[in-house]
Amino acid sequence: MLKASLISIASYVPEKILTNFDLEKMVDTSDEWIVKRTGIKERHIAEGEITSDLGTKAAKLAIKRAGLEKVQIDAIICATMSPDHLCMPSTACKIAANLGLNYGITAFDISAACTGFIYLLQLANSLIKGGAKKNVLIVGAEKLSSVVDYTDRSTCILFGDGAGAAIISASDENEIIDIHTASDGTQSHLLITPGCGSAYPASDETLAKRLNFIHMSGNEVFKIAVQTLTKSVIEILEQNNMTSRDIDFFVPHQANIRIIEAVKQRLDFKDEQCVLTIAKYGNTSSASIPMAINDAYESGRIKNGSTLLLDAFGGGFTWGSAILKFGGKNFDQI
């Protein structure tokens, strides 16, 4: 049976940095409060770049690190909740065009909010194991600054812009071990961008009510996220006869340091096992996990053969976990 492996990782963040001190001048908040409640110190904001630009830059580096030619990529899947265009074309099609892949490549977007990258892994894994594709480029890319209300202090402090990309290829080594994804749409109202779709089409009224921005019931989301993320990891570990001690690196979605710490303690992960990037990037939704993997990779922590456990929760609600062995070259070898 064919196996699939994550053979390269890369990320890109725009140059502009928005600090907590900058936000103090925009809304009624403080650096101390933001750090204490979220763990975030700064986030990157795209100026003159759109989501496909961010995704393209991460994708180019992922392809280079994989040692592949662009023409060897036979599918591009992008996860985003801040696409270039609401309906069409897909951001993946824009990324393909930016890469010069105009020969009929499969390209499409998915919408799974902050769980997007794990959903991408599952799709790419299935395409390769089923024999349909050999090299799949998956991209989590977000320009969340375009859907954040900078008059709403409960949400504007959380989100940043960025992109992460990976190549999933057919391989007999360092396989993707298991992936679980799930959802519960009955609580979608707790984390939602209400406007500009068919429910509330774009109009003067929806814009006046600021329905085109992210709305979140923070306390409710926090409680559900901690419970769901913990349960998701317990289930995937048990089903693979593993414990936290079999994991080299726990890479959670970087949403809130208090959520991460609560899940980490419940699952008995040690500090040295955890990958944290929330302080410098904030919540970048679907880009969060690949950006965190890339940080640990570029610092030399994650190496060829490292066992990773990924865990994410997002609007929908969606959630998922994945266990895989990193199949890329060590960073000092590229």
Side-chain angles (χ1 to χ4, degrees), residues 254-298:
Q254 309 288 308
N256 182 306
I257 192 63
R258 293 186 301 136
I259 293 176
I260 295 172
E261 288 294 333
V263 173
K264 184 186 77 172
Q265 291 173 11
R266 293 185 183 197
L267 297 171
D268 193 30
F269 282 109
K270 299 183 181 298
D271 289 345
E272 57 268 25
Q273 289 175 282
C274 296
V275 177
L276 298 176
T277 59
I278 189 168
K280 59 181 179 178
Y281 298 135
N283 182 347
T284 54
S285 188
S286 65
S288 165
I289 285 179
M291 286 172 61
I293 296 172
N294 182 71
D295 260 43
Y297 174 64
E298 290 187 353

Side-chain angles (χ1 to χ4, degrees), residues 23 26-29 145 147-157 207-210 213-215:
L23 286 169
M26 300 165 62
V27 292
D28 182 16
T29 191
S145 58
V147 291
V148 166
D149 183 352
Y150 284 98
T151 68
D152 177 9
R153 66 175 183 176
S154 67
T155 57
C156 73
I157 64 173
L207 293 176
K209 292 180 178 179
R210 309 185 80 77
F213 296 124
I214 295 170
H215 292 239

Side-chain angles (χ1 to χ4, degrees), residues 135-168:
N135 298 297
V136 180
L137 168 63
I138 57 174
V139 183
E142 303 285 4
K143 186 178 179 179
L144 296 174
S145 58
S146 65
V147 291
V148 166
D149 183 352
Y150 284 98
T151 68
D152 177 9
R153 66 175 183 176
S154 67
T155 57
C156 73
I157 64 173
L158 299 174
F159 298 101
D161 301 338
I167 304 293
I168 312 300

